[in-house]
Amino acid sequence: MILKLKAAIFDVDDTLFDFTGCHAIAIQHVAEYVEKTYAIPVDEIKEQYKAELKKQMSEYPQFVNCHSRTMRFQRIAERDARLPLGVATELSDMYWNTLIAAAEPFPGIIEFIQSLKSKGIKLGICTDMTADWQIKKLVKLGIVDYLDFIVSSEEAGIEKPDNKIFELCLKKAGDCPPSEAIMFGDSYKKDIAGAIGAGMHAVWIKSQGVEVDEKLPGVIELASYVGIENVFQVEKA
């Protein structure tokens, strides 16, 4: 299969690196610090974090503040008198810095991005998160210098799969026609269905082995970037 493209757009978490694994490392580190400093057991603070995550996502499903770790830890402290409110930013920074330190690019992704860049393909990011931490991740992964643009839900004012965030990506890619752009992502609902709904091509990165009941036609599925050239080839449109 040969695709003629002007732009390739990537999600970040669990698309460029193992966010799920790095999150487990980060939240464990934070929980151990909280246990040592404030005598709240590791399992207890982790359960509080999970509960607050679920609540935050349900309250703000289409807004970037659903991702705020500072707000998450702040709200935990508001309910648990053992944890001072002032520690919320410290725990948030500790979480993110630990996660980013553990982040490594998926095998083959750097080589693939270099190949796209050498062909003159515009390269961008479309991510549901604040720009600050996402850019720090991209620096750590060694990817940021290859990019032509970054679109975060913080900038777009809406989260994927809303068309607005994909339209902003296409605008930043030089008013690229949707049919000449491709989206790489791990979330079928947000990245894949969102991109297809915007008229783009889509590649589903199944980094966590997730399956879906109903699949959209034309979606390319990949378990790894290694050997991607055997699945499809890209030419400049």
Side-chain angles (χ1 to χ4, degrees):
M1 179 192 304
I2 297 177
L3 295 177
K4 293 185 179 293
L5 303 171
K6 288 184 178 177
I9 303 164
F10 296 83
D11 173 51
V12 176
D13 300 322
D14 282 328
T15 296
L16 300 177
F17 78 107
D18 180 14
F19 172 84
T20 301
C22 293
H23 161 76
I25 293 169
I27 198 62
Q28 180 68 25
H29 179 72
V30 170
E32 289 174 358
Y33 171 82
V34 169
E35 181 178 63
K36 180 180 179 181
T37 309
Y38 300 104
I40 303 175
V42 165
D43 289 344
E44 185 177 340
I45 193 66
K46 287 168 76 173
E47 284 304 314
Q48 289 191 56
Y49 183 91
K50 287 181 183 179
E52 185 53 48
L53 164 62
K54 184 176 180 180
K55 185 176 181 183
Q56 207 173 352
M57 288 292 186
S58 67
E59 289 178 357
Y60 310 103
Q62 278 295 313
F63 300 97
V64 72
N65 52 349
C66 72
H67 303 289
S68 172
R69 271 53 172 183
T70 298
M71 183 190 297
R72 208 164 291 168
F73 288 119
Q74 166 210 315
R75 286 164 55 146
I76 291 170
E78 287 170 348
R79 292 195 303 271
D80 192 327
R82 295 170 293 177
L83 198 63
L85 278 171
V87 80
T89 54
E90 178 187 359
L91 297 183
S92 176
D93 287 348
M94 182 185 299
Y95 169 88
W96 282 122
N97 288 328
T98 303
L99 186 147
I100 290 170
E104 295 293 340
F106 279 140
I109 183 59
I110 299 294
E111 293 81 2
F112 180 54
I113 284 176
Q114 289 173 334
S115 174
L116 293 173
K117 191 74 173 179
S118 70
K119 295 174 181 177
I121 308 296
K122 291 282 188 180
L123 299 178
I125 294 294
C126 183
T127 178
D128 283 350
M129 193 42 193
T130 56
D132 52 358
W133 290 112
Q134 297 306 74
I135 291 173
K136 289 178 182 179
K137 292 173 188 176
L138 294 166
V139 170
K140 173 60 166 61
L141 295 170
I143 288 172
V144 73
D145 289 340
Y146 296 105
L147 299 175
D148 297 291
F149 62 89
I150 297 170
V151 172
S152 65
S153 57
E154 179 181 32
E155 179 182 7
I158 195 71
E159 303 241 307
K160 296 176 285 186
D162 193 280
N163 269 8
K164 181 181 175 181
I165 195 168
F166 294 101
E167 289 168 359
L168 182 54
C169 288
L170 295 170
K171 181 179 180 180
K172 285 194 176 189
D175 291 320
C176 177
S179 61
E180 295 178 355
I182 192 167
M183 178 73 195
F184 294 80
D186 70 294
S187 170
Y188 206 90
K189 177 182 178 181
K190 286 177 168 282
D191 301 315
I192 306 311
I196 295 293
M200 300 164 58
H201 299 281
V203 177
W204 186 26
I205 306 300
K206 300 172 65 175
S207 60
Q208 301 302 317
V210 177
E211 292 293 345
V212 294
D213 293 332
E214 296 185 14
K215 295 182 180 180
L216 297 168
V219 175
I220 300 168
E221 297 183 19
L222 291 179
S224 169
Y225 294 98
V226 177
I228 191 172
E229 68 279 356
N230 296 321
V231 180
F232 69 94
Q233 296 179 353
V234 174
E235 293 182 358
K236 181 75 164 61

